[in-house]
Amino acid sequence: VTWPVGGIGGVGTLPEERGKGHMTALLYAVIDAMREREIPVSWLAGDRQRYNTFGWERAGQMYELTFSRRSLDRAGVAPARIEARRPADALDWIERLQPTLVCHARRPYLPLQLRKGGLRVWTAEDGYAIVRGSEWGPLSISELVSASGREMATVRALLDWTDRDDIRWNLSAWDDERLARLMPGVSHWRLVDWQMWRINDLAQVLTLARPILRKRATALRDFELAIGVREHDRTPVAGEDRTVTTLAVHDGEVEIARGRHVKHTIEWSAVEAARAVLGGPPVGSEAEMPAGLRALLPIPMYLPALDHV
């Protein structure tokens, strides 16, 4: 499943112009622009209380893994052979291997991304590692690929090369195969959110995710419901295509349509939609969320660290 994602990288107002509604107008204009360009979801990093007002919410799930020399040695991991490279010299290697990841991004501007401050690159025989951090500060892995599944050997080599005791790596909670392979060498882990997300167009999100929803729907009883999303400029109205989405499962097939076409309806705010659809705190009791919908959601969403705006 391919997701177009809109990102906001910087927000600011001149001190003497604050409190006049300029940023509110700009953010609402950005939301409208993303809708016009058919960008179904948006990502940003920021204060939850501030951006909840505009429909962004902390959602998505990832594991923050910490590896130490001790934990890797205990797991019997020997270091791989790696070579430090200038990022520009590793460009072709990264472009070739990055798409082999289950979760990856299309990167037309990879040369510019590799010029971000604090990035260091190593290559191995079957992969590469992109690491963020100074020579003295904490180290974190932005991206690591091993075509043979020997990621921990590369991590062990990074600790030797940098003379560090530990290193962190954030991985999507949906990256099942790699997570299962890595856990024996992890010293500790925690489940964290994937920053702030916004659902710009629920019907488009569900339509793009239909291959995933179909797999989950194979064992479900038939059901149908309409989902309305309240926004700053729109309240769910009968027959209004852009505020209500109808979702139905019939004989394992998932049907999605704009507008309210069935009687049973639930209503979310934009913030609740982000939590329910992309993974976050509950939006209500189990009785308020139909069982069929709980089985379909949340939808896997992943944004690699190198692609953060």
Side-chain angles (χ1 to χ4, degrees), residues 141 242 277 281:
I141 297 172
R242 295 192 68 103
V277 175

Side-chain angles (χ1 to χ4, degrees), residues 296-307:
L296 293 180
L297 302 177
I299 297 168
M301 166 59 80
Y302 176 73
L303 184 67
L306 188 64
D307 301 284

Side-chain angles (χ1 to χ4, degrees), residues 23-303:
M23 192 52 61
T24 295
L26 280 170
L27 286 172
Y28 287 153
V30 166
I31 293 167
D32 288 339
M34 286 189 286
R35 288 173 180 160
E36 291 171 3
R37 299 181 189 187
E38 298 186 342
I39 298 174
V41 290
S42 175
W43 181 94
L44 59 79
D47 178 73
R48 179 176 183 265
Q49 185 175 8
R50 170 180 293 179
Y51 292 106
N52 266 183
T53 305
F54 305 95
W56 278 273
E57 171 63 301
R58 301 188 75 90
Q61 296 177 349
M62 66 179 176
Y63 284 93
E64 181 185 88
L65 309 179
T66 300
F67 298 88
S68 68
R69 291 175 181 272
R70 184 170 178 266
S71 66
L72 291 168
D73 290 345
R74 190 180 185 91
V77 177
R81 294 180 60 183
I82 62 174
E83 179 181 354
R85 297 280 196 96
R86 292 189 306 172
D89 294 338
L91 179 63
D92 291 344
W93 197 242
I94 295 170
E95 285 182 329
R96 184 167 67 86
L97 289 173
Q98 188 254 350
T100 65
L101 294 172
V102 173
C103 303
H104 64 271
R106 295 179 180 173
R107 293 171 172 163
Y109 306 110
L110 181 59
L112 290 176
Q113 288 176 266
L114 291 176
R115 292 172 62 184
K116 287 182 178 181
L119 289 186
R120 303 165 71 184
V121 176
W122 285 264
T123 58
E125 183 179 358
D126 68 339
Y128 65 86
I130 303 175
V131 175
R132 180 179 295 278
S134 67
E135 295 183 8
W136 304 278
L139 288 182
S140 62
I141 297 172
S142 292
E143 192 161 282
L144 192 154
V145 174
S146 173
S148 62
R150 298 182 64 244
E151 294 90 354
M152 285 195 290
T154 300
V155 174
R156 185 65 180 84
L158 290 172
L159 292 178
D160 286 348
W161 190 285
T162 58
D163 196 26
R164 301 301 180 87
D165 292 323
D166 56 54
I167 191 169
R168 291 180 180 177
W169 187 8
N170 290 344
L171 277 178
S172 165
W174 309 102
D175 202 344
D176 298 339
E177 183 179 335
R178 285 205 297 176
L179 283 167
R181 190 162 60 238
L182 292 168
M183 291 310 292
V186 171
S187 61
H188 60 272
W189 61 268
R190 62 179 182 143
L191 189 63
V192 296
D193 62 70
W194 204 256
Q195 290 292 352
M196 305 283 288
W197 291 94
R198 189 184 197 285
I199 304 291
N200 296 325
D201 187 327
L202 179 59
Q204 188 182 0
V205 165
L206 296 178
T207 300
L208 288 172
R210 184 179 274 138
I212 296 167
L213 300 180
R214 280 175 177 163
K215 289 183 179 180
R216 296 178 178 176
T218 54
L220 292 183
R221 293 180 179 179
D222 289 358
F223 76 93
E224 55 186 22
L225 78 159
I227 304 170
V229 180
R230 301 187 310 274
E231 296 229 25
H232 62 283
D233 61 344
R234 54 182 69 172
T235 301
V237 177
E240 224 295 335
D241 286 347
R242 295 192 68 103
T243 61
V244 182
T245 301
T246 297
L247 172 67
V249 172
H250 294 138
D251 296 325
E253 182 61 37
V254 177
E255 301 169 6
I256 300 154
R258 294 189 185 276
R260 183 185 285 105
H261 305 290
V262 297
K263 183 177 180 180
H264 186 193
T265 304
I266 62 173
E267 188 175 299
W268 292 329
S269 67
V271 167
E272 289 172 330
R275 295 210 308 258
V277 175
L278 300 180
V283 299
S285 67
E286 286 196 5
E288 295 172 351
M289 174 83 84
L293 189 59
R294 289 203 311 271
L296 293 180
L297 302 177
I299 297 168
M301 166 59 80
Y302 176 73
L303 184 67

